[in-house]
Amino acid sequence: MKRDPSLIPLSHQHHHSLGLAVVIRRSSEAGMSGEVCEQLRENVLAAWSDELKTHFEVEEAHVFPLAVAWTEESEMVESLISDHRRLATLVESIRSSKTAELPAVLLEFGEFLTAHVRREERVLFESMQLHIPNELLAALGERIGPLIAEK
């Protein structure tokens, strides 16, 4: 299904997150050196501060309440909020991990982020587009647009 314009900024950020996860996975498959791990740590921490933290806040404050009100995805939303907490914990682990521990934590983060994004895109956003009236989606887009900085 074509993405509703109101959700496109979030989908763009999801695309950025998937790109980061792919880099982590490919680096893991190639065998992460200490230097690569440190660069990936910097990339994850930058993504967190530049985009992910705000992205999660916007979803929880604006997107998820609308989804709960208009779809049958309340359990999904609860699970996605739990995912946000787990991803924040993984970011803190990445921040504090010793270099020897870092490859495993990075890979866990990348895999978990991928699964999370795919559930939002393939299940939640699809359900929202099917069940939420266009005018409410448009109003959502107007509210979240200024909150999401395109990078």
Side-chain angles (χ1 to χ4, degrees), residues 19 38 44 65 85-86 90 97 108-109 119-120 135 138 140:
E38 290 305 323
V44 169
R85 302 301 173 269
R86 176 73 180 133
L90 286 168
S97 287
E108 181 181 359
F109 172 81
R119 286 183 28 217
E120 282 187 354
E135 60 274 5
L140 172 68

Side-chain angles (χ1 to χ4, degrees), residues 45-135:
L45 297 178
W48 176 256
S49 65
D50 292 347
E51 192 167 275
L52 287 172
K53 187 173 186 289
T54 300
H55 178 95
F56 292 170
E57 291 167 354
V58 167
E59 285 180 335
E60 291 178 22
H62 301 282
V63 177
F64 294 168
L66 188 63
V68 168
W70 285 90
T71 72
E72 296 180 5
E73 303 296 345
S74 60
E75 286 182 25
M76 164 75 66
V77 167
E78 287 179 27
S79 176
L80 294 171
I81 291 170
S82 177
D83 287 358
H84 288 176
R85 302 301 173 269
R86 176 73 180 133
L87 288 162
T89 298
L90 286 168
V91 168
E92 288 310 310
S93 293
I94 289 167
R95 184 184 318 278
S96 63
S97 287
K98 293 179 171 55
T99 303
E101 305 162 341
L102 199 48
V105 179
L106 285 164
L107 188 58
E108 181 181 359
F109 172 81
E111 290 174 348
F112 197 83
L113 182 61
T114 297
H116 173 79
V117 166
R118 297 221 185 281
R119 286 183 28 217
E120 282 187 354
E121 287 287 334
R122 294 177 180 168
V123 179
L124 185 68
F125 285 9
E126 293 292 323
S127 182
M128 289 177 69
Q129 289 181 191
L130 288 173
H131 300 290
I132 299 174
N134 290 336
E135 60 274 5

